[in-house]
Amino acid sequence: MKKTPSLTDEESLLFRDAVKGTRKIKQDTIRASSSPVKQKREVRESREKLGVDHFFSDEYQPHLEADGPTRYVREDVSKFELKKLKRGSYPPEIYLDLHGMNQHQAKLELAALLTLCRRENIHVASVMHGIGKHILKQRIPSWLAQHPNVQAFHQAPREWGGESAILVLLDIEE
């Protein structure tokens, strides 16, 4: 074993002077608390608890027009329905406020809202995403375009949130 040379008193004082005002570093090693299988099971169980029957993909990117307000209409739905949404002819029957939520929480809440709308025969919903950093404003349209019950959506008229909300037109079972 190699012996390390000891410091002289002068070197020790120089070192203490150099590190004066610093603090000890806390251990920041991240340990995996549970296996990925357990995490997936927990996510599945939480979705089942919420009664969510549709799950959104983050990889899917629908073809949405970049210019103008956020809008989408399903291929089998008349473009006139989109125009009615834009004008505010359909007042929202339910509101979902996603302010302060992260993407994962917002995705679960949106799926739960769409499930509730289907169960309660609600035709129009307003999803308020806020403005902030535009993260939810960009993600919500791609999630909505994936859902089979969404006929159309459009940026909400000013009286129902304007640029910080989306009106969603849904299929209802007769």
Side-chain angles (χ1 to χ4, degrees):
M1 241 166 61
K2 191 175 181 183
K3 197 172 182 184
T4 57
S6 62
L7 298 174
T8 64
D9 289 338
E10 186 180 326
E11 290 172 332
S12 185
L13 287 172
L14 282 171
F15 176 75
R16 284 192 186 123
D17 250 4
V19 295
K20 187 191 295 183
T22 61
R23 59 184 169 83
K24 189 175 179 180
I25 298 175
K26 288 184 182 178
Q27 179 63 27
D28 62 351
T29 304
I30 299 172
R31 293 184 182 91
S33 59
S34 61
S35 67
V37 175
K38 186 177 179 182
Q39 291 172 347
K40 286 181 182 179
R41 186 178 66 236
E42 289 170 354
V43 168
R44 188 188 74 240
E45 288 170 355
S46 71
R47 286 177 176 165
E48 289 171 358
K49 195 167 95 175
L50 285 172
V52 175
D53 63 356
H54 186 79
F55 312 110
F56 302 114
S57 167
D58 286 326
E59 284 80 37
Y60 177 73
Q61 290 297 323
H63 177 68
L64 300 174
E65 295 180 32
D67 60 320
T70 305
R71 62 192 178 278
Y72 163 83
V73 64
R74 205 169 58 200
E75 291 178 9
D76 62 330
V77 177
S78 168
K79 301 250 189 251
F80 188 64
E81 296 297 326
L82 188 65
K83 201 176 230 183
K84 286 183 189 177
L85 267 179
K86 178 182 177 181
R87 278 194 238 141
S89 299
Y90 295 122
E93 300 168 52
I94 191 168
Y95 294 88
L96 175 63
D97 189 355
L98 301 175
H99 286 90
M101 292 187 188
N102 63 32
Q103 287 185 53
H104 178 70
Q105 293 167 330
K107 191 188 301 186
L108 289 175
E109 288 295 322
L110 185 63
L113 170 83
L114 296 173
T115 302
L116 175 74
C117 288
R118 190 168 145 239
R119 195 178 318 129
E120 300 292 326
N121 289 330
I122 295 173
H123 194 53
V124 181
S126 175
V127 179
M128 294 176 275
H129 49 72
I131 296 178
K133 295 179 182 174
H134 295 285
I135 295 169
L136 291 180
K137 185 175 184 170
Q138 293 170 355
R139 299 303 307 149
I140 288 172
S142 67
W143 296 335
L144 288 172
Q146 295 174 46
H147 200 279
N149 291 352
V150 174
Q151 288 184 357
F153 59 81
H154 198 285
Q155 177 182 310
R158 194 173 200 171
E159 62 266 20
W160 293 312
E163 290 183 19
S164 64
I166 293 178
L167 282 183
V168 185
L169 184 64
L170 300 159
D171 283 329
I172 53 171
E173 296 178 14
E174 299 297 326

